[in-house]
Amino acid sequence: MKKVILLLLAPLMLAGCQAPESATESSVSSSSTSQQTSTKTTVANPKTIKVSLATAIKRYHKQFGPHAAISEIKVERENGRYEYDVSGLDQQYEYEMVINANTGKVLRHSREKLEADDQDEQTTSQIDPNQLTTLTKISEAATKKVGGGTAVEWSLDHENGEILWEVKVNRGTQTSEVQVNAYTGKAVRIVETETTDDDD
């Protein structure tokens, strides 16, 4: 009779011993999945830019008014996402607005009194938002200029009287900076090309 009882208890004891191991495997698997998820969210992909340049400019003018000229725009990766950073000024103030390029949410904005020395910039550094070519066309022109790749950063500024986008393009181990006319969408020149050693 004792043998029968022992035989019946044996499978239960084995199952009890295996349960923690199964739970541990589940925990490791869950941890591994969450690590993979967090790794993915730290890298911003240009395809995550859902908000158009025109929409970002509208947000800026809605906050600061139609007379707040735009002097600079950047589209860069910050905190695992793309952000628009729009700067400008009028005769009294300097303005800046940062917008989530995926959701359109205004992340922060600021207004500072314009220094007397900077008041001349109000007329010399203006960008006409109605003439700006879309980021898609600017990116196409930049990547074509270097023979392919992916545009990953954009910075709009003035150089020698021209309104130019400076576009960073990744192509394999090479990173190039290409200047593109912001109004015509024509690639002007390749400013710089760097090669990154791939040790992996």
Side-chain angles (χ1 to χ4, degrees):
M1 187 69 177
K2 288 182 180 179
K3 288 182 179 180
V4 174
I5 293 171
L6 286 172
L7 286 171
L8 289 171
L9 289 174
L12 295 173
M13 291 170 64
L14 286 172
C17 291
Q18 291 174 351
E21 184 180 344
S22 175
T24 304
E25 288 174 358
S26 175
S27 173
V28 170
S29 174
S30 174
S31 173
S32 173
T33 303
S34 83
Q35 284 177 357
Q36 288 174 358
T37 304
S38 64
T39 301
K40 287 179 182 177
T41 56
T42 58
V43 179
N45 188 309
K47 291 181 180 178
T48 64
I49 298 176
K50 306 296 183 186
V51 178
S52 70
L53 178 61
T55 300
I57 290 170
K58 283 180 183 177
R59 294 270 199 286
Y60 171 87
H61 282 138
K62 184 179 179 180
Q63 178 67 37
F64 302 121
H67 300 296
I70 295 174
S71 57
E72 186 179 9
I73 301 174
K74 292 180 182 179
V75 189
E76 297 178 323
R77 292 167 289 193
E78 293 288 341
N79 305 315
R81 67 190 173 207
Y82 270 98
E83 296 177 355
Y84 283 99
D85 189 339
V86 186
S87 302
L89 67 169
D90 59 22
Q91 294 180 342
Q92 293 183 308
Y93 298 98
E94 287 182 292
Y95 305 104
E96 183 180 12
M97 175 174 282
V98 178
I99 303 163
N100 186 314
N102 183 30
T103 65
K105 181 181 178 181
V106 176
L107 302 174
R108 61 184 180 275
H109 57 82
S110 63
R111 184 184 76 167
E112 293 183 13
K113 190 73 175 174
L114 192 65
E115 298 290 333
D117 296 341
D118 297 329
Q119 289 183 357
D120 291 339
E121 290 185 29
Q122 206 273 335
T123 54
T124 59
S125 63
Q126 286 189 49
I127 293 167
D128 186 349
N130 298 317
Q131 292 190 51
L132 292 177
T133 305
T134 63
L135 275 186
T136 300
K137 290 184 178 179
I138 295 298
S139 302
E140 287 172 355
T143 53
K144 185 178 179 180
K145 186 73 172 177
V146 298
T150 304
V152 294
E153 283 186 12
W154 303 258
S155 180
L156 181 61
D157 210 339
H158 310 257
E159 185 167 317
N160 300 324
E162 288 186 286
I163 309 297
L164 300 172
W165 280 104
E166 193 161 284
V167 186
K168 186 176 285 188
V169 179
N170 287 345
R171 185 186 182 209
T173 59
Q174 286 191 333
T175 299
S176 302
E177 290 185 5
V178 184
Q179 287 183 333
V180 182
N181 187 296
Y183 297 153
T184 66
K186 182 179 179 180
V188 178
R189 65 184 69 86
I190 298 173
V191 181
E192 183 180 0
T193 299
E194 293 181 354
T195 302
T196 306
D197 294 329
D198 191 359
D199 296 330
D200 297 337

